Amino acid sequence: MFDQKYIAAVIQLDTNTDYEHNLKAAADFIGEAHARRAKLVTLPENWTYQGNDYLDYAEEMPGGRLAAMLSQLSAKYGMWIHSGSSSEKNENPSDPRPHNTSMLFNPKGELVAKYRKVHASDMDVAGAHAYRESDHKCPGKEIVVYDTKEVGKLGLSICYDLRFPELFRLMALDGAEVFFVPSSFYLMTGKDHWDILLQSRAIENSCYLLAGAQCGVKYDGPTYGRSLIIDPWGNIIAKASDKPCVITAEIDSNYRQKVKRQVITLENRRADVYRLNKI
């Protein structure tokens, strides 16, 4: 458990097919987050490249240009940087699909954790369009919680993972105190589901939640934006508008402990009866 208050920052981006521009935009906003005294910053999903030629922009993690840039920035500013997500080259020669991957860097610039999106977003929503992420990205197989000893235990997820509460409950049972949900949510689903799902995951587990999002119109349609920071009671304590920006809020360990003492859902679980008995 971290024993202090600190400022967390969430970056919202409107990225496109210009890799160089996207990296510069992110670096500039990370600098702004530092200027606003943030100790921890997170980015959106798939922000290094938004387009059909995603295979050309898959990188090694570590080893690629993105990892090198974020390592340098975390060391320069002395802050924790969560990379949001981007395409990671698949080391399996029989599977050309890259992973949708998050990286976490400590204030020394060291890569200390990596998470590959577990749930591929295979959806067909009326009014939007059918999308099968599993055709393009290789799902991960591990749940990741990392104890920073400084800014809390961090639970890593990506976008569509948000719809699977069992993932977040398992991270909470492993001690997670702050969840990351970097996203590129479609406008059609975001307008009805974004706030509700994020608040639910925070409330159910008495955790803070940092959700950096894409905004603007992409190659495959409009995104919802409206990045959020949510406290363990479910309050939205920072919210972005519809443009690229940085939002910040205070993460308070004492407040989280207060909420946990009042809403003791983790302690009241009935794991002894959580099974389906078919009749």
Side-chain angles (χ1 to χ4, degrees), residues 9-272:
V10 170
I11 294 173
Q12 179 165 286
L13 294 171
D14 180 5
T15 54
N16 49 47
T17 58
D18 189 339
Y19 179 88
E20 298 294 334
H21 175 270
N22 297 339
L23 258 61
K24 183 179 185 306
D28 289 346
F29 278 129
I30 290 170
E32 180 179 336
H34 171 69
R36 294 168 66 173
R37 300 182 296 109
K39 293 188 66 174
L40 171 67
V41 61
T42 181
L43 291 145
E45 181 185 28
N46 289 331
W47 63 269
T48 59
Y49 175 83
Q50 283 273 342
N52 288 312
D53 299 325
Y54 57 91
L55 279 173
D56 295 337
Y57 293 91
E59 303 185 43
E60 294 180 350
M61 298 181 185
R65 184 174 171 188
L66 173 63
M69 183 188 86
L70 296 181
S71 173
Q72 292 169 2
L73 290 173
S74 60
K76 174 182 178 180
Y77 295 128
M79 66 195 304
W80 291 86
I81 297 180
H82 175 261
S83 72
S85 85
S86 54
S87 294
E88 177 193 13
K89 286 184 178 179
N90 195 333
E91 68 275 13
N92 182 355
S94 64
D95 191 345
R97 299 174 301 167
H99 297 283
N100 189 347
T101 301
S102 296
M103 297 180 286
L104 178 68
F105 294 87
N106 69 17
K108 296 180 181 179
E110 300 166 335
L111 175 62
V112 294
K114 185 168 73 171
Y115 168 73
R116 292 166 172 169
K117 187 177 182 181
V118 168
H119 300 98
S121 179
D122 293 346
M123 302 180 69
D124 188 359
V125 178
H129 68 282
Y131 177 72
R132 290 187 58 82
E133 187 179 21
S134 60
D135 290 343
H136 312 288
K137 300 290 177 69
C138 179
K141 298 179 180 179
E142 295 183 4
I143 298 172
V144 177
V145 174
Y146 183 78
D147 188 358
T148 68
K149 312 293 185 184
E150 182 181 355
V151 291
K153 279 193 173 183
L154 309 178
L156 279 63
S157 77
I158 299 172
C159 198
Y160 190 61
D161 287 333
L162 179 60
R163 296 183 180 273
F164 299 87
E166 55 266 47
L167 171 64
F168 291 82
R169 178 49 51 90
L170 288 170
M171 291 193 291
L173 290 172
D174 195 32
E177 299 161 303
V178 179
F179 294 139
F180 292 118
V181 191
S183 299
S184 183
F185 239 67
Y186 289 124
L187 175 63
M188 184 60 67
T189 52
K191 65 184 180 64
D192 294 324
H193 297 169
W194 178 245
D195 288 17
I196 295 170
L197 286 172
L198 290 168
Q199 288 176 289
S200 296
R201 299 297 87 83
I203 293 168
E204 291 163 350
N205 300 291
S206 301
C207 288
Y208 282 93
L209 191 149
L210 310 177
Q214 287 275 0
C215 61
V217 179
K218 311 303 179 189
Y219 72 106
D220 57 351
T223 54
Y224 185 65
R226 296 171 177 81
S227 300
L228 297 176
I229 302 177
I230 299 174
D231 75 15
W233 193 257
N235 296 306
I236 295 173
I237 54 177
K239 185 172 187 175
S241 61
D242 297 322
K243 64 180 182 179
C245 63
V246 179
I247 59 172
T248 59
E250 183 180 76
I251 308 298
D252 184 349
S253 176
N254 291 330
Y255 177 69
R256 179 176 178 269
Q257 291 303 314
K258 178 181 177 180
V259 171
K260 279 179 60 64
R261 288 192 295 269
Q262 297 176 75
V263 184
I264 53 175
T265 51
L266 294 185
E267 292 80 359
N268 286 337
R269 293 174 67 252
R270 288 293 309 278
D272 58 316

